[in-house]
Structures are given as C-alpha cells and as structure tokens.
Amino acid sequence: MIQNSELILNPDGSVYHLNLRPEHIAHDIIFVGDQNRVEKITQFFDSIEYSTQKREFKTQTGIYKGKRISVMSTGIGPDNIDIVVNELDALVNIDLETRQPKEELTSLNIIRIGTSGSLQADIPVDSFVMSKFGLGLDNMLRSYLIDEVSNAALEDAFVTHTNWDIRKGKPYAIACSEELEKLIESDKIFKGITATAGGFYGPQGRVLRLNIQDEELNSKMDNFSFNEERITNLEMETAAIYGLSALLGHNALSLNAIIANRASGTFSEDPYKAVDELISYTLNKLAQK
C-alpha cells in the first residue's frame, strides 16, 4: 500500500496539488504553462463540465467537437512537471481508496502547447516547432531510473560537443510519442530537439548581474546536431514531460509557437495570434483522433 505521506490526498479525496479526482480528467490532456492560457483554449469548447484551481494548477475539462479534453496549467519548470505528471498518473493508475496500483493501466495523451524562442535563424517567429526529443539540462529526471527510456547516444554526443561540466549533472534525452507525432505533424511544423533548462536566466545563458558557468553554451547548442536533428528551441518543461510520461507509460508531445528568434534578435509582432493558431490546429487534430 502506498503510504499517506507518499500520495497525499485532500479531505474530499482529490490529489493534493491538482485538486482533482479521477472523474474530473479526460484521457486527452493539453498542458499550458500560464493559468490564464487555460481559458484561451477552453473558450473554443462546446461545453465545460468541470473547473478547478489550486495554486498555479488550473484545470478545465469539457467537450470540443464531441471530444472530451482536459486543459491544465502546470506553471513554470521541471519541478512543477514532476508534481503534475505524477499526480495525473495517480488519478488513472492508482486506486485512491485502497492506495494500490491498478492491474490494468491507463495511458494518457498529453500535449503541451507553449511559447518559446528559436535558436536557429531559419526557424522564424510565428512558426511552430514540434519537439522530436526533449533534452533535459535540468537534472530533475535523474532522480528516477531512466536508462530504459533515455537516448544515451544523444546524451553523450551533446556532452562531448559542449564540453559539458558534469558537476551540473548529466543531460538526459527522451523521444516524443510516435503516435502523437503522427497525429499532429504537418509540412508546416519544424521538428527538432528541444532543450529544457532548469531556470530562465543563467540556465538559459542570460546574464544580468551574475556570471554564468559557460558563456558559450548557447552558441554550442546552436551548432549541435544528432542524426540530422538540431536543437531548435530552449524552454523549461518539455524534457521533463517526455521523461515522466515515458516512464509511466503515457504518450507525450510538445508543441511551441515561436515568438522570438534569439539568433536574429527578433520578436513576434503579434505573439497572441501565433499561439491562437497553434491552439486551433491542435484542438482540431485531437478532435479527429
């Protein structure tokens, strides 16, 4: 039996952080970072059956073109993803009354819709990027046993190329769900490796008043490739989503609207339009599933 201290439930039986019970979530789930972006998606729904929020975790479940979908805000960073994915898995794969894992496991479909900056000059603002791999620079997933789901060859190639300081922890690389990739892909979507940092400033090469460990890391990432896959963008959630989903048996895919190009120093003139177009595209693909 899973102890009370390990799986914490609220008095109403909901999981502690997400404030959700099993009946509150669909099997198709869209992640966003910003809680205010949840309703940017659910405004397109035909109906909303449930809504809740605790801290930065806001969830709405409803119907879009006959498809039951949940939309959830995760907040920022891989530490939040650790909470969200583990608690979602508990909702479908642990009997919350007996505190025993179920014999028949459920696989969720998780699609992240986010915004990001491109590292490549030829991936312009207002375009879409699909993360073929998540490359975790954050070290969170190393708390788990990941050898069966990680791509050691990609990890080693990146460590060698960047002369990575192993004191920061070894990067980890996880592939997206092939099933969701086939569902969502189109000729208009760029594919590549998404690097996931554990912070916004120093971990992403930004310098304000503090010097950083490797001032050349971003330029090294710009030039890295593995089996013809480049690092397309840098953000703070994708690799953690991919890693935990793969370990727990869920399908995960990350999509980003590119609102900035760090190689050219440009920023979208209308970032909200780019995000809305990505939302519409993703919802319509899910509705066909």
Side-chain angles (χ1 to χ4, degrees):
M1 186 178 74
I2 300 170
Q3 298 299 312
N4 292 350
S5 59
E6 309 305 291
L7 176 58
I8 304 169
L9 302 181
N10 297 310
D12 66 354
S14 61
V15 289
Y16 182 66
H17 296 91
L18 301 185
N19 209 36
L20 295 167
R21 294 196 302 269
E23 64 269 23
H24 294 153
I25 63 166
H27 286 182
D28 294 288
I29 301 173
I30 294 174
F31 282 178
V32 294
D34 185 354
Q35 56 196 327
N36 294 321
R37 195 172 288 161
V38 171
E39 291 181 353
K40 281 185 169 291
I41 297 177
T42 60
Q43 67 176 325
F44 298 107
F45 282 16
D46 302 315
S47 62
I48 295 174
E49 66 183 59
Y50 186 76
S51 181
T52 190
Q53 180 170 357
K54 185 177 180 181
R55 305 185 189 184
E56 62 266 60
F57 307 116
K58 180 174 183 176
T59 302
Q60 290 190 330
T61 296
I63 303 297
Y64 177 79
K65 293 184 177 179
K67 186 77 168 181
R68 190 169 185 254
I69 300 172
S70 294
V71 184
M72 175 181 297
S73 61
T74 65
I76 299 174
D79 51 343
N80 274 17
I81 296 303
D82 185 54
I83 291 171
V84 171
V85 177
N86 273 293
E87 291 194 3
L88 279 176
D89 180 75
L91 288 171
V92 295
N93 289 324
I94 296 174
D95 186 317
L96 299 185
E97 292 186 3
T98 65
R99 293 181 168 272
Q100 296 282 357
K102 296 179 180 179
E103 291 185 5
E104 293 187 14
L105 300 179
T106 296
S107 180
L108 298 171
N109 298 311
I110 298 169
I111 297 180
R112 178 181 185 269
I113 296 179
T115 57
S116 186
S118 169
L119 298 179
Q120 304 293 339
D122 64 325
I123 300 179
V125 295
D126 302 325
S127 61
F128 303 155
V129 164
M130 175 187 292
S131 306
K132 183 79 173 176
F133 290 93
L135 178 63
L137 312 181
D138 57 279
N139 211 37
M140 184 279 289
L141 205 69
R142 292 288 176 189
S143 295
Y144 300 95
L145 304 173
I146 67 171
D147 288 351
E148 291 187 1
V149 300
S150 62
N151 188 316
L154 195 165
E155 295 164 3
D156 291 341
F158 180 79
V159 167
T160 299
H161 178 82
T162 59
N163 193 27
W164 184 264
D165 188 339
I166 207 66
R167 290 176 297 178
K168 295 190 292 185
K170 186 179 180 182
Y172 59 91
I174 315 288
C176 71
S177 160
E178 292 184 2
E179 178 182 332
L180 291 181
E181 177 187 1
K182 291 176 182 177
L183 175 69
I184 300 294
E185 68 182 350
S186 82
D187 294 339
K188 297 180 180 180
I189 298 179
F190 292 89
K191 292 184 182 181
I193 301 167
T194 293
T196 295
F200 184 77
Y201 289 96
Q204 294 192 38
R206 293 182 173 93
V207 177
L208 302 184
R209 291 201 315 116
L210 294 175
N211 293 327
I212 58 177
Q213 183 269 330
D214 186 353
E215 295 180 354
E216 304 301 321
L217 180 59
N218 278 18
S219 61
K220 294 174 186 176
M221 289 196 296
D222 292 347
N223 299 320
F224 175 73
S225 65
F226 178 80
N227 291 344
E228 300 184 353
E229 299 286 356
R230 305 173 297 167
I231 296 180
T232 51
N233 60 315
L234 180 59
E235 46 83 91
M236 295 179 63
E237 289 84 27
T238 292
I241 294 170
Y242 281 12
L244 288 171
S245 296
L247 289 170
L248 291 166
H250 304 297
N251 297 309
L253 186 70
S254 182
L255 303 170
N256 276 277
I258 298 301
I259 62 171
N261 187 297
R262 295 186 69 179
S264 63
T266 55
F267 192 84
S268 173
E269 293 183 0
D270 191 353
Y272 299 108
K273 180 182 178 183
V275 173
D276 286 346
E277 288 178 351
L278 180 56
I279 289 169
S280 178
Y281 176 83
T282 305
L283 284 174
N284 286 324
K285 286 291 186 179
L286 274 178
Q288 298 169 14
K289 187 174 178 296

